[in-house]
Amino acid sequence: MDGVTTSAGGVRALARIVARDDGRGVTSLPVLDGGGPLALRRTRASGAEARVVLVGAMSGPLGGDHFTVEADVEAGARLHVGSAAATIALPGQSKGEARYDVRLSVADGGELHWLPEQLISAQGSDLYVTTRVDVGAAGRLVLREEQVLGRVGEGPGRLTSRIRVRVAGRVVLDQELACGPGAPGGWDGPAGLGGCRAVGQLVVVRPEFARDPVAARVLGDGAAVMPLAGPAALVSAVAADALRLRRLLDEALASLG
């Protein structure tokens, strides 16, 4: 399968998307390449926006696996990426840590909505997730990350998630969250998740935020909006379950206009 290799240490998989303005007000996808656990499917477009769904065709990531997803949105293009179902990190035969890397770039005048379903950290799993995003000064981004600690009736695996966002070459966000067995103490305490099983982030980059920064505020019980050092805002939320977390993040996005 293209972009997929298998070894005793686990599966290596790469999926790539390139979105390009075709000059007629429509976004084309000259590169849409994925397979195995990272299959990509183009769905019905919405106006000038191209839509892609990431379809998990295999279990994982398992211990020792390394998945990478890359998306490049060129000037004037608009791309919406979702997933068909939640991703479940599972223990595998290999005792090694699994990795899931997301690499996104949005050029000036481009727009990306990165809205996958939840990542579930199953008991016994060990996953390190990194998300790195580069946005041009006039680019636009909506990025959502949601993590759920454990399936119903079980404890969580170990999950480490780092997100780094740059706008016009300047770092506006660089944070890491570690939770589950083996994570630094206090991750589930009052200064961390406070006993909640679901945690999420929403990063919104818009050029108009440079002129009219977002005001810091609390949104209901468990969510807060914070301006970042640039034309960007961060929403952080915790909730008892995935459904309530999604509701909090959707309400936060609506409040940003």
Side-chain angles (χ1 to χ4, degrees), residues 30-256:
V31 177
L32 188 65
D33 184 18
L38 298 175
L40 298 170
R41 300 289 183 265
R42 180 165 189 167
T43 61
R44 184 181 297 274
S46 175
E49 180 184 71
R51 290 181 170 248
V52 174
V53 173
L54 183 62
V55 180
M58 296 169 57
S59 296
L62 309 177
D65 290 350
H66 190 171
F67 297 172
T68 303
V69 182
E70 300 176 351
D72 296 313
V73 181
E74 298 181 359
R78 297 179 60 191
L79 176 65
H80 181 290
V81 179
S83 57
T87 297
I88 305 178
L90 297 165
Q93 293 183 345
S94 170
K95 298 300 182 181
E97 172 187 77
R99 294 187 61 92
Y100 199 126
D101 297 327
V102 177
R103 304 286 181 262
L104 310 174
S105 67
V106 185
D108 285 345
E111 182 172 349
L112 172 63
H113 287 227
W114 187 265
L115 302 171
E117 295 301 310
Q118 298 89 358
L119 169 63
I120 300 173
S121 174
Q123 189 170 31
S125 65
D126 186 359
L127 177 65
Y128 191 95
V129 182
T130 62
T131 302
R132 297 184 183 273
V133 190
D134 278 285
V135 184
R140 303 173 73 87
L141 170 74
V142 177
L143 180 147
R144 182 182 68 211
E145 287 193 345
E146 299 169 310
Q147 292 98 24
V148 179
L149 305 182
R151 294 170 291 190
V152 176
E154 72 174 13
R158 178 170 180 173
L159 175 64
T160 305
S161 175
R162 182 177 180 183
I163 180 170
R164 188 172 190 264
V165 180
R166 299 195 308 172
V167 179
R170 179 186 182 188
V171 176
V172 300
L173 176 67
D174 192 343
Q175 72 174 24
E176 183 172 285
L177 171 70
C179 48
W187 66 269
D188 199 26
L193 272 64
C196 293
R197 290 172 52 88
V199 57
Q201 297 78 229
L202 187 70
V203 180
V204 180
V205 178
R206 294 176 181 163
E208 56 266 31
F209 286 170
R211 303 184 304 271
D212 186 15
V214 171
R217 60 189 185 276
V218 174
L219 294 175
D221 184 16
V225 179
M226 293 163 284
L228 298 177
L234 170 68
V235 179
S236 296
V238 294
D241 54 45
L243 182 62
R244 296 179 188 180
L245 178 67
R246 177 64 59 83
R247 186 180 300 122
L248 281 171
L249 294 178
D250 285 348
E251 290 174 355
L253 183 58
S255 77
L256 293 173

